[in-house]
Amino acid sequence: MVIGKEEMEVRLDGQGIPLWLCMEVTYRCPLQCPWCNNPLDYDTYRKHELSTDEWFRVLHEGREMGALQIGLTGGEPMMRDDIVEITAEAGRLGYYTNLITGGVGLTKDKLEALKEAGLNQIQLSIQSCDPAITNKLIGADAHDKKMQVARDIKALDFPLSLNIPVCRESIDQTKEILDMCEEVEADYLEYVQIQYYNWALHNRDELLPTKEQVKRSEQLVNEARERLGKKMTIYFVVPDYHDKFPKACMNGWGAIHLTIAPDGTAMPCQEARAIKEIDFPSVRDHDLSWIWHESPAFNLYRGEDWMKEPCRSCDDKEKDVGGCRCQAYLLTGDATNTDPVCYKSPHHYIVEEAITEASRPGRNTLPYVMRSVQSAASLRE
Amino acid sequence: MAETLRIDPTDRFELHPFYMFRWEERQKAYLLMYPEGIVKLNETAAETLKRCDGDRSVTEIIDELKEEVKNGPNPESASLVEKSVCKFLEESSAKGWIRKKEGGLEENGNR
């Protein structure tokens, strides 16, 4: 062996590999969160979900291409009867397996079976430290169940990752929420601002916190980080609306991330169907390698050739890859525009107006549009 | 947070159980995988981490690696092993990749 002066961490080269495979195994879910990132027509996927064998094939093809991490998500992945089998196959193939769950359906027996199957970690969502607020936000009586699941996860020696989607109604409880996470001995905490796509976009005016709220919250998170050190690793995901620069979304279109919807539709991210003009390929028609390397959909916004001004001549274009294509499309109608979160975007006023509206004194509060088949129908009209 | 760890030659380290450490043929490297993260390790780091089995002491790890280097293409760099290993153990311990294995009765209680 060679002893050198090089850094101990070597840059992980994507080498054009989908390192992260996100499997949305179902869109079925017992919760009704108003920020759900599933499409409005989520219910139509119910009849077309991939079979166990089809998911196995996705897992095999992914490993052959060099994929390393699997996210089993939904919907609620625990709604799939074969979730333990799928997890076991992923573990057998050498993936690091992550289960992303709301906790409902995650009984002790299931947890033990998942442990046995080689599941590496569980990311559990909790919305508030106050049961009444959690239950209101998710449209179900599940707070206590979620807390029990958190304790069960710890008891089985899984790393406990809590995912707290933060909105205006919960952000002022930051301190109490952090205390709750400490009390259940969370190992990782993702304190994430909601991203405004699909259901969340319809509820944006009600969910978006004010600048002052975000600032206070960030300060409390930083204090907790200082105090807790490596006992609890906290990721504070800054709301991009309140940022001056756009996020380097997915590290770029078709760069390292591949999402498979319940019906086999393959996309560079979970939101990509927002861009209506794109015809996304299905794992039912093509192998993963063709989808990743050859399909027009995955090549559409790779690299920089698609960029327009102000991205094209911007010094930051490699750093932020022009932001998010879906957000550009949803807010400006053209996915090749600069993400309007960027202060250089000619459409930046759209984001500024949303923030102004969120902070306007005396604004009328509306009820959330909860995720349901009925509200989907009314939103489409 | 910024606790400084002194490496004692008799310390025994083990991989933190949240982490998965394995060879990945495609990357031609050892990887460390954890919730939401992947790290590709250089050779020194990988060879050290491989030996953090809760069994070998720091001294034993250093001796083994020195031996390997002496038999490798750059035997003159054997004198760098100790510093290099200690640096890795300090840094990876601070990151939570490895932890000290406690002896005696607490062995099964970990954390």
Side-chain angles (χ1 to χ4, degrees):
Chain A
M1 71 178 264
V2 184
I3 293 282
K5 283 181 187 149
E6 76 272 40
E7 289 301 301
M8 63 181 187
E9 289 179 36
V10 183
R11 217 180 131 258
L12 185 69
D13 187 355
Q15 300 171 343
I17 295 173
L19 295 173
W20 300 80
L21 210 52
C22 169
M23 298 185 5
E24 298 181 322
V25 289
T26 181
Y27 285 148
R28 289 172 285 148
C29 183
L31 309 182
Q32 305 178 52
C33 307
W35 54 78
C36 182
N37 69 347
N38 290 167
L40 294 184
D41 62 351
Y42 67 91
D43 198 51
T44 61
Y45 288 74
R46 182 185 292 267
K47 292 194 188 84
H48 310 288
E49 289 183 7
L50 295 186
S51 67
T52 313
D53 284 343
E54 285 173 310
W55 281 120
F56 280 11
R57 186 165 63 75
V58 169
L59 285 167
H60 281 253
E61 291 178 2
R63 268 308 281 144
E64 270 167 31
M65 294 172 73
L68 294 167
Q69 291 239 4
I70 282 282
L72 295 167
T73 185
E76 172 52 64
M78 294 313 295
M79 300 293 281
R80 285 282 300 212
D81 294 335
D82 55 0
I83 195 68
V84 176
E85 286 170 77
I86 293 174
T87 304
E89 187 67 3
R92 208 183 59 72
L93 291 169
Y95 285 104
Y96 190 94
T97 50
N98 307 272
L99 178 75
I100 295 137
T101 175
V104 178
L106 201 48
T107 60
K108 255 190 187 152
D109 288 352
K110 276 273 157 80
L111 268 175
E112 277 167 15
L114 286 164
K115 183 86 189 178
E116 184 82 3
L119 180 65
N120 295 103
Q121 81 121 354
I122 301 172
Q123 190 193 98
L124 173 70
S125 68
I126 294 187
Q127 288 68 24
S128 168
C129 51
D130 180 340
I133 295 185
T134 298
N135 293 343
K136 178 187 167 196
L137 288 173
I138 63 179
D141 183 7
H143 181 87
D144 295 346
K145 165 71 188 162
K146 283 168 177 278
M147 294 306 289
Q148 185 55 47
V149 169
R151 287 186 281 268
D152 292 345
I153 288 171
K154 284 299 286 188
L156 281 175
D157 284 333
F158 280 113
L160 173 62
S161 302
L162 293 181
N163 179 288
I164 319 264
V166 193
C167 63
R168 187 187 314 171
E169 196 167 349
S170 58
I171 194 166
D172 290 335
Q173 305 174 312
T174 298
K175 189 183 174 306
E176 291 78 7
I177 291 174
L178 289 165
D179 288 346
M180 173 189 75
C181 296
E182 195 183 343
E183 194 224 301
V184 293
E185 297 179 59
D187 300 288
Y188 299 87
L189 168 60
E190 294 195 5
Y191 204 68
V192 295
Q193 303 288 332
I194 286 162
Q195 306 279 331
Y196 296 101
Y197 305 93
N198 295 332
W199 295 89
L201 188 56
H202 288 288
N203 288 296
R204 186 181 64 194
D205 287 350
E206 308 311 317
L207 295 171
L208 189 65
T210 67
K211 264 199 163 85
E212 290 67 33
Q213 280 182 309
V214 173
K215 226 171 135 185
R216 276 199 302 275
S217 165
E218 188 165 17
Q219 198 181 337
L220 289 164
V221 167
N222 284 335
E223 284 168 20
R225 269 191 187 140
E226 197 62 36
R227 187 163 49 82
L228 296 166
K230 67 179 178 188
K231 226 173 94 186
M232 182 162 89
T233 305
I234 309 179
Y235 301 100
F236 183 80
V237 181
V238 184
D240 64 351
Y241 270 56
H242 289 294
D243 216 340
K244 204 174 144 195
F245 304 100
K247 57 183 181 256
C249 200
M250 314 314 286
N251 288 75
W253 183 271
I256 56 170
H257 191 103
L258 173 57
T259 291
I260 315 286
D263 66 346
T265 305
M267 299 167 287
C269 76
Q270 291 183 265
E271 322 296 345
R273 269 159 310 184
I275 309 173
K276 299 286 179 222
E277 290 82 359
I278 303 178
D279 187 16
F280 289 102
S282 170
V283 299
R284 283 190 161 134
D285 306 323
H286 302 279
D287 63 49
L288 226 44
S289 179
W290 183 89
I291 287 171
W292 183 257
H293 295 291
E294 312 291 333
S295 74
F298 274 76
N299 283 297
L300 200 48
Y301 306 123
R302 269 193 180 130
E304 293 169 358
D305 290 348
W306 57 270
M307 284 183 183
K308 301 201 289 204
E309 291 298 346
C311 286
R312 189 185 285 269
S313 59
C314 180
D315 290 340
D316 289 327
K317 66 182 170 188
E318 279 175 39
K319 201 166 72 188
D320 62 29
V321 299
C324 172
R325 304 284 49 81
C326 306
Q327 188 147 274
Y329 178 89
L330 287 169
L331 299 185
T332 76
D334 180 349
T336 62
N337 278 333
T338 299
D339 185 336
V341 160
C342 182
Y343 74 104
K344 290 183 181 174
S345 157
H347 299 95
H348 185 58
Y349 68 92
I350 297 171
V351 170
E352 284 186 322
E353 278 174 11
I355 297 170
T356 306
E357 174 58 22
S359 314
R360 185 167 60 81
R363 61 177 288 280
N364 281 328
T365 308
L366 295 170
Y368 299 121
V369 180
M370 304 301 280
R371 172 187 136 136
S372 72
V373 175
Q374 293 77 13
S375 49
S378 63
L379 286 175
R380 275 197 300 268
E381 271 158 21
Chain B
M1 163 160 203
E3 61 210 76
T4 41
L5 179 101
R6 266 209 41 206
I7 304 291
D8 189 307
T10 61
D11 282 342
R12 288 160 211 278
F13 285 93
E14 63 182 359
L15 184 70
H16 193 287
F18 294 174
Y19 289 77
M20 181 194 269
F21 171 66
R22 68 166 173 79
W23 174 259
E24 172 70 5
E25 186 55 36
R26 182 74 186 234
Q27 300 277 343
K28 296 268 183 274
Y30 278 94
L31 302 182
L32 195 60
M33 294 191 276
Y34 53 99
E36 310 274 324
I38 307 167
V39 171
K40 183 165 156 179
L41 298 170
N42 74 16
E43 203 186 350
T44 315
E47 291 300 324
T48 308
L49 195 55
K50 236 194 255 178
R51 291 168 173 79
C52 291
D53 52 6
D55 219 20
R56 292 170 166 93
S57 69
V58 173
T59 309
E60 286 169 324
I61 293 177
I62 291 169
D63 289 348
E64 271 186 38
L65 291 183
K66 266 189 188 159
E67 204 54 39
E68 284 219 11
V69 174
K70 279 181 194 159
N71 298 325
N74 299 303
E76 66 283 359
S77 63
S79 59
L80 300 172
V81 167
E82 183 164 347
K83 208 180 141 202
S84 200
V85 168
C86 288
K87 179 171 172 270
F88 171 77
L89 293 174
E90 272 171 34
E91 288 182 16
S92 55
S93 178
K95 287 176 193 247
W97 298 353
I98 55 170
R99 61 185 186 187
K100 267 189 211 179
K101 174 112 171 192
E102 306 294 341
L105 287 173
E106 288 155 355
E107 196 164 337
N108 294 323
N110 31 58
R111 325 152 187 253

